[in-house]
C-alpha cells in the first residue's frame, strides 16, 4: 500500500528548504508537513496553505472583553455600589466613562490574549501531557524536515529531493 509511505527529506538551510518546497510543489507532489526549528517567513504561502482566521477570533475575543468590562463597571460602580469619589458622583456610566477607559483597554487586551492562547492550543491539538509528534528531534535544533507522501515512483521523487539539496532522505512506512 503506497499511500502509507512518506519520504522524510532533511535540509540544513531555510533558503534551500524554500527553494525545495517550490520545486516539489511545481512537480505536483503533496507535501504532508514541514518541521522547522523556527518560523520560516513565506513557507505557508509556498506550501499553498490557506490563510489563518485566528485574527478574526482575536478581534471577537477583544469585543467580548470590552463588553465584559463595560457591563462589569456599570454594575459595580453605578448600580450596585455607587460612590462619591473626589467629588465626582456616579450618576451614569457615560459621565464617568473617561475614568474607566484604562480598565476597558486592559480587559480588552486580557480577553483577546488569553482566549487566543487557549484557541491556538486547542486548534493545534496541543494539550497538557500530549506526546510530541515531531518525527526527528533534530528539527528542534538546526534541521528542517519535509514530509512528502509517496504516490507513484519513489525513485523519481528521491532524485528530485537530492537535486533540491536534501542532505538526508529516508523512506518511512506510516502503517507502523
Amino acid at each position: 500500500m503506497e499511500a502509507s509511505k512518506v519520504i522524510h527529506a532533511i535540509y540544513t538551510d531555510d533558503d534551500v528548504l524554500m527553494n525545495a518546497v517550490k520545486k516539489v510543489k511545481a512537480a505536483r507532489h503533496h507535501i504532508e508537513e514541514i518541521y522547522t526549528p523556527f518560523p520560516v517567513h513565506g513557507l505557508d504561502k509556498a506550501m499553498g496553505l490557506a490563510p489563518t482566521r485566528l485574527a478574526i477570533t482575536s478581534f471577537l475575543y477583544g469585543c467580548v472583553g470590552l463588553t465584559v468590562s463595560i457591563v462589569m463597571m456599570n454594575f459595580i460602580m453605578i448600580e450596585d455600589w455607587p460612590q462619591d469619589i473626589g467629588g465626582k458622583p456616579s450618576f451614569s456610566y457615560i459621565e464617568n466613562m473617561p475614568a474607566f477607559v484604562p480598565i476597558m483597554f486592559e480587559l480588552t487586551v486580557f480577553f483577546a490574549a488569553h482566549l487566543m492562547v487557549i484557541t491556538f492550543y486547542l486548534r493545534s491539538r496541543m494539550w497538557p501531557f500530549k506526546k510530541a509528534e515531531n518525527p526527528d528531534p533534530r528539527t528542534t535544533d538546526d534541521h528542517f524536515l519535509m514530509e512528502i507522501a509517496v504516490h507513484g515512483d519513489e525513485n523519481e521523487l528521491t532524485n528530485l529531493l537530492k537535486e533540491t539539496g536534501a542532505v538526508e532522505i529516508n523512506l518511512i512506512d506510516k502503517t507502523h
Side-chain angles (χ1 to χ4, degrees):
M1 198 167 197
E2 284 199 40
S4 63
K5 289 183 181 178
V6 294
I7 289 183
H8 286 175
I10 307 273
Y11 295 89
T12 55
D13 185 61
D14 56 333
D15 293 327
V16 175
L17 173 74
M18 281 294 289
N19 291 330
V21 167
K22 292 173 185 170
K23 289 178 184 173
V24 169
K25 291 299 277 186
R28 299 194 175 273
H29 292 286
H30 177 65
I31 299 173
E32 295 283 335
E33 188 65 74
I34 296 182
Y35 299 90
T36 63
F38 54 84
V40 178
H41 180 70
L43 186 59
D44 52 344
K45 188 174 182 181
M47 287 180 63
L49 298 176
T52 180
R53 295 184 303 269
L54 285 176
I56 298 168
T57 59
S58 179
F59 175 75
L60 295 175
Y61 293 153
C63 291
V64 168
L66 181 64
T67 303
V68 166
S69 70
I70 290 169
V71 169
M72 177 190 75
M73 288 181 300
N74 185 54
F75 177 74
I76 292 171
M77 299 299 291
I78 307 301
E79 294 176 19
D80 185 45
W81 196 271
Q83 296 180 11
D84 186 346
I85 300 172
K88 299 174 185 164
S90 299
F91 294 131
S92 72
Y93 181 82
I94 296 297
E95 289 176 321
N96 293 328
M97 193 181 69
F100 297 154
V101 168
I103 299 167
M104 294 162 52
F105 171 77
E106 291 299 332
L107 282 178
T108 299
V109 172
F110 179 86
F111 271 67
H114 286 79
L115 292 175
M116 276 305 298
V117 168
I118 293 168
T119 301
F120 174 75
Y121 282 143
L122 291 176
R123 178 71 182 88
S124 301
R125 290 175 284 148
M126 295 179 2
W127 31 79
F129 312 110
K130 183 176 188 291
K131 190 176 183 307
E133 296 177 5
N134 195 347
D136 191 329
R138 293 177 295 177
T139 60
T140 63
D141 186 23
D142 62 349
H143 285 64
F144 303 85
L145 185 142
M146 185 189 312
E147 185 176 276
I148 306 126
V150 177
H151 297 293
D153 189 10
E154 70 185 58
N155 290 328
E156 172 201 340
L157 181 56
T158 303
N159 290 334
L160 172 67
L161 293 170
K162 284 180 185 171
E163 289 173 22
T164 63
V167 295
E168 185 180 322
I169 299 170
N170 302 314
L171 181 66
I172 307 294
D173 189 2
K174 295 277 269 204
T175 56
H176 296 107

